[in-house]
Amino acid sequence: MPRGLIGVEATDPAEQQPVLVVPAPLTLADVPLLCERLRGLYGSGAREVVCDLAALTRADLVAVEAVARLRLTARRAGGNVRMRNAGAGLVALLELAGLGLD
């Protein structure tokens, strides 16, 4: 994905919630940009944002860092974030790190 498309936003038509699409490949340098986009969504009035993790087919510590930082950003903004479409490898790694998707 071109670097200019970090955190593509859409709206989930079924739920009418903003969706932040986490792109791949993902680097540590991308994580602050994703958090900035998430803060922007809360700043525009969203109370809950869905983060779509489908593109993260490689489970690694960068993906874990992204999920942890996005959750922290949501908490600090007073919003809620829901992760969806995480692959089995990423779910297992998040569980190991104590960050399950519950």
Side-chain angles (χ1 to χ4, degrees), residues 7 9 13 17-18 25 29 31 33 41 46 51 55 57 70 72 80 90:
E9 297 157 24
Q17 293 173 326
V31 176
L33 300 172
L41 290 170
C51 287
T57 57
L70 288 167
L72 181 60
N80 188 36
L90 179 55

Side-chain angles (χ1 to χ4, degrees), residues 25-86:
L26 187 65
T27 68
L28 281 176
D30 297 329
V31 176
L33 300 172
L34 284 168
C35 293
E36 185 178 320
R37 296 293 288 267
L38 184 61
R39 273 190 299 276
L41 290 170
Y42 291 124
S44 67
R47 297 300 353 130
E48 181 172 73
V49 176
V50 175
C51 287
D52 192 318
L53 306 173
L56 298 179
T57 57
R58 179 175 173 216
D60 59 14
L61 292 179
V62 174
V64 171
E65 172 76 5
V67 169
R69 300 285 290 174
L70 288 167
R71 285 183 172 171
L72 181 60
T73 298
R75 188 175 307 129
R76 287 179 175 168
N80 188 36
V81 66
R82 190 166 42 93
M83 306 294 168
R84 75 171 182 200
N85 298 327

